[in-house]
Amino acid sequence: MAFTELWERYSFYGLQGILSFYLLYALSDGGLALDPAAAAGIVGAYGGAVYLSQILGAWLGDRLVSPQNMVLYGAVVITGGHVVLAFAPGLAGLGVGLTCIVLGTGALKTNITSIFGFVLDQSQDERHRDASFSYFYMAINIGAVVGPLTTGLAQNELGFHYGFGLAAIGMGAALVQYVASMKQLPERARTINNPLPANRRPLVSLTAIACVAAIGIAVATGLLRAANLSTVVTVAALVAAAIYFLTMTTSSAVSRDERRRILGYLPLFLASGVYFGFLFQKFTAISILITERIDLQIGGWTFPVAWITTVSPLAAVLITPLIAKVWNSLGERQPGTVAKVAIGLTQIGCAYLFLLIISEATGKADIPLALILLFMMAAGSSEVFVGPIGLSLATRIGPAKFRSQMVGLNFLTLALGSSLAGLLGQLFTEIDNASYFTLTAVCGIGIGLTLFAVRRPVGRLLDAGLER
């Protein structure tokens, strides 16, 4: 499962690493020459839609199709999307390819994480879940590192569509890996947990058709455009989250302790959404900064622009084994879930404080490449305190009847973060750098310290009815 996820992330981040620059670069450089604010909106909305679609994937994997088959179908659709991007130029090819990847990733991501949780339920006790998910998350970040390294080099030397082609090969490898190993999965992976009654399926089909038609009309009439894509996806993510929280907390199938755990997760959900908004700015505001103020020339060679954003997941990969070892060594003395997320937020806030300092110290001159790489390391390594912890928590505290949906709700933090990064990228184009980096630094550090202050009452809610 980890290697399948590694290859899927290879393709996703291999594309993500060069997508911003494909939108921003001039036509003569192989790009689409879009306005920076529009590019930030598209990238933010795309990332948000990828994760927002996972709510639908989680529901389908719980009600209509087994998680095992959802992962398989999703992998096929994602592969097709990358092939379209590799061979179809212009905005039309971009739109079709990204739409396929959004839908396919929605089918794959939450279901593969749920299956990983099924594997842990069979073989390990709760004390090892955070460490196990840290290694699973390390596989994610390995793919997030190797993907942009290779696609970025291909784009730098040959052109953007060669980079997109490598991402297609990576997704093909994920598909082969999964087909070869899925026979070994637990029986729960092949079972529909909560089948939808047959008499309700026509209504679901009509609703799906109506939603697709509404989106098509909004695009055709100009109501949905690049400038407001991130806003639309942000609102959709918040509405979806509100619906999920209300559904689970009011369901008669949810016990009192399960309801308390869901309420305890609410502040962590919001804090994690803000965290990923800051982290994913590497694809929006920071990408714009790179194109405007970073000199990529090293002698007679151009440093691949996608490699800069790759430093972020690379730092997370390198620090993960150390942190996982620390969690195992500390055992019950390790910081609680809330404290870990608070550490991650405070660290990324400090990273933006560092970026503020170097941005102001250099004035209007170019920022040295080494310093922006150092910022990426500081911001990226903070992810180990948030990402894997959220995955582990979602599979641990979810109500029995809503396990897959709880994982989907956790991925909504990424949807919220991605679309928020798009909005922040658009704000970055409107205000001066000093004000922008001050805002992000103060918010990151302030929210982190606030979360740390309330860690005990929130932690008690998260542990309601569970054995530690």
Side-chain angles (χ1 to χ4, degrees), residues 92-407:
L94 181 74
V96 173
L98 294 185
T99 298
C100 288
I101 295 170
V102 165
L103 295 175
T105 306
L108 185 146
K109 280 292 290 180
T110 50
N111 288 290
I112 203 171
T113 304
S114 295
I115 294 172
F116 191 76
F118 299 158
V119 173
L120 291 184
D121 289 342
Q122 283 190 326
S123 61
Q124 296 184 352
D125 61 41
E126 296 297 337
R127 294 176 300 169
H128 300 300
R129 291 184 75 89
D130 280 359
S132 299
F133 267 99
S134 292
Y135 284 113
F136 182 65
Y137 212 80
M138 183 175 70
I140 292 174
N141 277 319
I142 289 173
V145 169
V146 179
L149 282 177
T150 53
T151 60
L153 182 61
Q155 173 269 318
N156 196 60
E157 302 298 326
L158 300 171
F160 281 102
H161 290 282
Y162 287 92
F164 297 151
L166 273 183
I169 293 172
M171 194 58 234
L175 183 57
V176 171
Q177 167 73 31
Y178 183 73
V179 170
S181 62
M182 67 182 185
K183 293 180 181 179
Q184 303 174 41
L185 298 179
E187 181 60 31
R188 290 179 66 187
R190 292 183 283 274
T191 304
I192 301 175
N193 180 55
N194 186 21
L196 184 72
N199 60 354
R200 293 180 57 186
R201 294 183 182 182
L203 177 61
V204 170
S205 298
L206 290 174
T207 302
I209 293 171
C211 289
V212 171
I215 294 173
I217 292 171
V219 172
T221 57
L223 291 176
L224 192 61
R225 56 191 187 278
N228 65 6
L229 275 176
S230 285
T231 301
V232 171
V233 175
T234 300
V235 172
L238 289 172
V239 170
I243 291 172
Y244 260 87
F245 274 110
L246 287 172
T247 299
M248 288 191 285
T249 53
T250 58
S251 172
S252 59
V254 175
S255 69
R256 180 175 179 272
D257 283 337
E258 289 174 335
R259 190 171 293 109
R260 293 180 65 195
R261 296 199 297 268
I262 295 168
L263 292 174
Y265 179 67
L266 177 58
L268 283 184
F269 173 86
L270 296 173
S272 297
V274 172
Y275 169 82
F276 284 114
F278 292 158
L279 181 67
F280 291 155
Q281 285 183 90
K282 60 188 177 184
F283 300 124
T284 57
I286 305 304
S287 290
I288 297 172
L289 180 72
I290 291 169
T291 60
E292 294 176 345
R293 295 193 57 189
I294 306 297
D295 184 6
L296 300 174
Q297 296 300 315
I298 302 176
W301 181 66
T302 302
F303 188 85
V305 66
W307 287 10
I308 298 177
T309 56
T310 307
V311 172
S312 172
L314 176 60
V317 168
L318 295 177
I319 201 174
T320 292
L322 173 62
I323 298 300
K325 185 175 182 180
V326 169
W327 295 158
N328 273 334
S329 299
L330 290 176
E332 294 184 358
R333 295 180 291 112
Q334 66 183 276
T337 297
V338 184
K340 291 174 182 175
V341 176
I343 292 171
L345 269 161
T346 304
Q347 180 176 328
I348 202 167
C350 290
Y352 277 98
L353 180 61
F354 171 74
L355 188 56
L356 169 66
I357 293 171
I358 63 175
S359 176
E360 289 303 291
T362 53
K364 294 185 178 180
D366 286 343
I367 298 174
L369 177 61
L371 293 181
I372 201 71
L373 293 178
L374 188 58
F375 161 75
M376 286 292 185
M377 291 175 61
S381 59
S382 68
E383 189 176 2
V384 73
F385 297 106
V386 182
I389 305 308
L391 286 177
S392 175
L393 182 67
T395 61
R396 183 171 69 92
I397 70 170
K401 291 291 186 180
F402 292 93
R403 177 67 65 89
S404 293
Q405 287 92 328
M406 194 68 186
V407 174

